[in-house]
Amino acid sequence: LRVKMSVLNDALKNMVNAEKAGKRQVLLRPVSKVVVKFLRVMQKHGYINEFEIIDDKRAGKIIVDLNGRLNKCGVISPRFDLAVKNFEKVIYQILPSRQFGFVVLTTNQGIMDN
């Protein structure tokens, strides 16, 4: 029995792997609030289509419809403190170019995207 360290990281890896394998759908489990919010952000920016949360009376599952637009996504770990004044600089280091990509932050006020 392995303890899930990062539910979000596992979910994102599974999505990228399914996308690379050309799958149209991917099953993510377990479900967490953070994963659901993250998927909503991805949906808003058009990286995934619909997703459906299945309550199996355990940890739950999410079925995500992929659309082929996802190249890469992942979690930056360990989490580190980010001052607002350094924000732009950090984003430049993370993203491949100015034209595309999003950084999604989890904060104590919820999830933000740039």
Side-chain angles (χ1 to χ4, degrees):
L1 192 74
R2 202 187 86 205
V3 176
K4 281 270 167 103
M5 279 308 284
S6 169
V7 172
L8 181 61
N9 201 9
D10 284 358
L12 297 183
K13 276 205 182 97
N14 287 343
M15 283 169 60
V16 172
N17 291 341
E19 191 83 83
K20 281 182 183 154
K23 302 261 198 305
R24 304 310 301 153
Q25 281 189 328
V26 62
L27 180 72
L28 306 177
R29 44 182 253 268
V31 175
S32 78
K33 284 190 191 125
V34 174
V35 170
V36 172
K37 285 183 180 144
F38 201 94
L39 290 174
R40 288 212 179 98
V41 171
M42 291 177 81
Q43 205 174 19
K44 183 178 91 178
H45 291 297
Y47 287 105
I48 58 173
N49 293 334
E50 301 299 308
F51 63 91
E52 184 187 354
I53 300 165
I54 297 162
D55 183 13
D56 59 2
K57 298 289 183 275
R58 295 200 281 289
K61 296 184 174 91
I62 306 179
I63 295 178
V64 181
D65 290 342
L66 302 170
N67 57 16
R69 293 207 190 107
L70 189 63
N71 296 325
K72 184 178 177 187
C73 63
V75 170
I76 295 176
S77 171
R79 298 177 176 205
F80 59 91
D81 295 336
L82 187 54
V84 175
K85 63 179 191 296
N86 303 338
F87 187 66
E88 291 287 319
K89 199 170 80 183
V90 172
I91 287 179
Y92 281 135
Q93 290 167 349
I94 296 168
L95 294 180
S97 80
R98 285 183 189 175
Q99 283 84 23
F100 65 89
F102 289 95
V103 174
V104 182
L105 298 178
T106 53
T107 67
N108 49 8
Q109 270 97 34
I111 290 195
M112 298 162 35
D113 56 324
N114 65 320

